[in-house]
Amino acid sequence: MIGLVVLNILGTIWSLIEPTYLYKSWSYQFDDDYLQLSYGILKREWVTIPMTKIQSVSTSQGPIMKQYHVRQVKVETMGSSHAIPALEEEIALRLRKKLAEYAKLKEVDDK
Amino acid sequence: MRYHPLTIAFRIYQLVKSNLLFALILFVFQKDSEFWLWKYGKYAFLLFIILRLIYIVTAWFVEKYEWKDLMFHIHKGIFVKRTSTIPFSKIQNVTRKTTVFHKLVGLTSLTFETAMDGEDDAIHFEVLTEKQANDLIDLVQPGKQTILQKEQADIAQMDEQENEDLEQEAVQQKNRMVHFTPKRKDLWKASFTSLSFLAIIPIAVGAFDYIGPLLPETDQVEGLFQVFLNSKWLLFVIIILAVIVAVSFGVGRTFIRYGKYKISSDASYIYIDRGVLDESYFAIEKRKIQGLEIEQTWIKRIFGLAEVKLISTANPKNVDGSVNVNSLYPFLPVNKAYHLIKELLPIYQLNGQLERLPRKSLWVKLLRPSWIWIVATIGLAYFKPAIFQIDQAWWIVSLLLLCCILLHRILDYIHTRYAVSEDQVQWWHGGLTSRMFITKRKNVVEITNSQTLLQKYFQVASVTTTNRSVPAHKEKINDIPLPYAIDIEDWYLKRKEDVEFEEA
């Protein structure tokens, strides 16, 4: 019982400080050929995806996100899917358009 | 075109095969049962069988296939009509299977698999004649289609030299080289390393369940057991007999499965012919192979054997639990395996010189918390089970588990070796079962570096690659030095050099 309470308190504290770290830990960049993401607080990950391998890009927005004009961008590849949690609406839409444009190119191998 | 008329017979045979046990239960074992499920079940079952039979016969009249302009058109369904169109170029591999049924009537079956995922992802011809099968394979496959396309292109160009090349290519297509057929010695080794003699246990248990109701009173059986137990000699003889039966069964099984095996290839395809009773033929285009894997379980390592697997986009699902199509041959002698890869896929250069992990990686591996051990130890400490009547057993078990885990990690450290060259990446890893993975840069669709806090302290990182397959093939190498991980990322960023783009 006491253990559960302690865990709960720790959990609450963590959920209060997590967003700041999450915010600090997230970064993305892309050029003509690659989309690169990096994230993770305790375990950092750097993901590199060639533009040609992106299969679909979608954005979504919950009610709270709508209030703050931010959107989530979700990128799906052949092997996995990645979500960039919250981007300003305008940037998110632009990013989506850009990614969709680059992803149009097809490699010969994909036939 | 309609399917072969014997398709009806084949489907009925399959229907009988899959429902035989059910029918036996309903009409033999539970014949006099008054329980409603059995009573009405009989009628329901009969109705189901009759409907199936009607369906099978009608389906034969309705279902048709045809090909036109390098495409298959398959018409299916009685009530809901479905037509699927599959271009030849989408066909990833060809499997030809001759089961005992087919052998009896001198026919064969054929499956074309595509990289698509879903209901209509493959074309099955359940029954057709040898000649039809060959014609279809010729139609779809080896070079023919490329030659056809090229011919079409040539009509416009009429370039003489290209024609010459074409002829050369056509000659090459016929040059099928046989690379591997197992020898008797290999098969003996295979039957022991695969532990196939253990396969008799589930079969024996199943058989006992099956015939259980037919046996006389259980008391009598138990009485028989008592007699065996009382006389040591009899028991000994029985055990010896059982071992002999199990081993010969295992060896027989292995010989039937892997006995007639032939790996051959030509310029653009790899062919595998196999099977003694159920014959099958399998072909895959080299271009469609995404990577290679060599797997070695500890028992295979003792015998110096290894399994070579192809990572391809073809659907690896086993239609009938037979040998996995993505495996070249599960019991190759290691040298032969390397040799085979060199011969079959010369674009993969197997590197003899691989780098080992630095000493600090060992510390990372040893220090990493093991969740299995933590959970198991908490469980053991809580319940304190007395194993073998020893009260202190829980911490001994926990300690043993820890030793096993640590040993496994040390083995992993010893096995891990890696090399990244111009356009390919190759590494070994794994504890008890060690695996080699090799792929080309252009076939890697995604790369991820990751670093935990512990890894950060020791300045090492993990790299995960993703290859196209169903499902996606992910491969991870742990605890390589950070600079090397960054190099791999940079190396991947130069991927563009190897990739050709389609013209929009």
Side-chain angles (χ1 to χ4, degrees), chain B residues 70-344:
Chain B
L70 298 172
M71 274 188 226
F72 271 115
H73 301 270
I74 313 287
H75 307 279
K76 269 189 200 161
I78 297 177
F79 301 110
V80 183
K81 302 259 180 215
R82 270 208 320 272
T83 303
S84 47
T85 306
I86 299 176
F88 291 171
S89 58
K90 291 277 182 220
I91 291 168
Q92 292 267 332
N93 60 46
V94 180
T95 314
R96 199 164 107 184
K97 261 193 87 144
T98 314
T99 64
V100 181
F101 175 89
H102 291 109
K103 265 206 172 153
L104 283 177
V105 289
L107 299 167
T108 183
S109 77
L110 196 63
T111 306
F112 295 130
E113 274 175 84
T114 65
M116 284 179 271
D117 215 2
E119 221 181 310
D120 295 322
D121 60 347
I123 315 174
H124 298 282
F125 297 96
E126 281 154 313
V127 181
L128 31 63
T129 61
E130 201 85 0
K131 194 182 163 305
Q132 272 178 319
N134 286 335
D135 288 350
L136 280 175
I137 292 176
D138 272 355
L139 190 73
V140 176
Q141 214 200 36
K144 183 134 194 207
Q145 145 202 1
T146 39
I147 288 175
L148 271 178
Q149 278 171 357
K150 271 197 185 164
E151 271 172 4
Q152 282 168 355
D154 278 355
I155 294 169
Q157 286 189 358
M158 284 302 251
D159 194 4
E160 269 183 33
Q161 206 184 347
E162 199 144 314
N163 269 332
E164 262 170 40
D165 285 351
L166 257 177
E167 272 161 29
Q168 269 178 0
E169 198 178 320
V171 171
Q172 253 186 2
Q173 296 293 352
K174 281 175 200 139
N175 284 343
R176 252 216 232 174
M177 221 173 99
V178 177
H179 298 284
F180 177 77
T181 46
K183 298 192 185 64
R184 206 150 277 264
K185 201 179 83 195
D186 297 333
L187 285 169
W188 279 105
K189 270 193 198 168
S191 36
F192 286 100
T193 46
S194 65
L195 298 177
S196 59
F197 46 86
L198 293 181
I200 199 166
I201 295 170
I203 292 176
V205 170
F208 193 77
D209 271 0
Y210 201 79
I211 57 170
L214 305 175
L215 286 177
E217 303 274 306
T218 36
D219 289 354
Q220 277 181 29
V221 179
E222 264 169 31
L224 220 57
F225 269 124
Q226 281 305 318
V227 175
F228 288 149
L229 284 176
N230 286 338
S231 132
K232 272 185 187 153
W233 270 109
L234 206 54
L235 192 69
F236 185 68
V237 171
I238 296 251
I239 287 175
I240 292 286
L241 270 180
V243 168
I244 290 173
V245 167
V247 168
S248 49
F249 175 80
V251 172
R253 207 171 92 114
T254 313
F255 271 70
I256 285 174
R257 268 192 162 187
Y258 302 110
K260 250 169 69 186
Y261 214 98
K262 197 172 85 185
I263 301 173
S264 54
S265 77
D266 60 26
S268 53
Y269 276 80
I270 295 176
Y271 308 90
I272 303 172
D273 298 273
R274 64 164 164 246
V276 175
L277 288 180
D278 287 5
E279 280 174 31
S280 73
Y281 160 97
F282 171 77
I284 184 166
E285 204 176 340
K286 284 180 182 177
R287 196 164 62 88
K288 282 172 179 155
I289 292 169
Q290 305 286 320
L292 285 171
E293 216 177 44
I294 296 181
E295 200 177 276
Q296 219 180 10
T297 57
W298 63 273
I299 194 157
K300 280 185 190 165
R301 198 171 315 127
I302 294 173
F303 283 92
L305 299 177
E307 173 168 15
V308 179
K309 285 183 183 169
L310 307 175
I311 300 162
S312 76
T313 37
N315 220 334
K317 72 179 171 205
N318 288 356
V319 185
D320 38 18
S322 60
V323 193
N324 192 344
V325 290
N326 287 340
S327 163
L328 272 188
Y329 190 72
F331 310 103
L332 280 168
V334 176
N335 290 337
K336 185 78 198 164
Y338 281 115
H339 199 66
L340 198 67
I341 293 175
K342 231 180 259 170
E343 279 181 1
L344 288 177

Side-chain angles (χ1 to χ4, degrees), chain A residues 33-34 36 42-48 50 52-53 77-80 82 106-109 111, chain B residues 443 445-453 466 468 472 474 476 489 492-493 495-496 499-502:
Chain A
D33 305 314
Y34 296 95
Q36 284 173 293
L42 290 179
K43 182 186 179 188
R44 292 203 55 81
E45 297 202 25
W46 296 266
V47 183
T48 310
T52 46
K53 300 294 177 190
T77 68
M78 285 164 184
S80 57
H82 301 278
K106 273 252 166 78
E107 286 177 17
V108 170
D109 203 43
K111 270 196 287 190
Chain B
N443 290 333
V445 296
E446 192 179 315
I447 205 157
T448 306
N449 289 2
S450 65
Q451 195 178 41
T452 58
L453 286 180
T466 308
R468 270 185 79 190
K474 293 204 175 191
K476 190 173 184 185
E489 202 183 334
Y492 188 64
L493 287 173
R495 179 176 181 276
K496 221 181 156 188
V499 176
E500 292 171 62
F501 288 95
E502 256 175 33

Side-chain angles (χ1 to χ4, degrees), chain B residues 412-470:
Chain B
D412 186 28
Y413 168 73
I414 294 170
H415 287 148
T416 306
R417 281 172 296 158
Y418 55 93
V420 176
S421 58
E422 275 167 41
D423 66 336
Q424 76 174 16
V425 45
Q426 177 190 5
W427 61 56
W428 275 97
H429 66 114
L432 277 180
T433 300
S434 61
R435 291 158 64 210
M436 191 206 78
F437 171 71
I438 182 165
T439 190
K440 290 279 163 190
R441 179 160 56 185
K442 69 177 162 96
N443 290 333
V444 177
V445 296
E446 192 179 315
I447 205 157
T448 306
N449 289 2
S450 65
Q451 195 178 41
T452 58
L453 286 180
L454 184 67
Q455 284 178 323
K456 197 172 177 182
Y457 181 77
F458 282 98
Q459 287 292 302
V460 294
S462 301
V463 177
T464 311
T465 59
T466 308
N467 279 72
R468 270 185 79 190
S469 183
V470 187

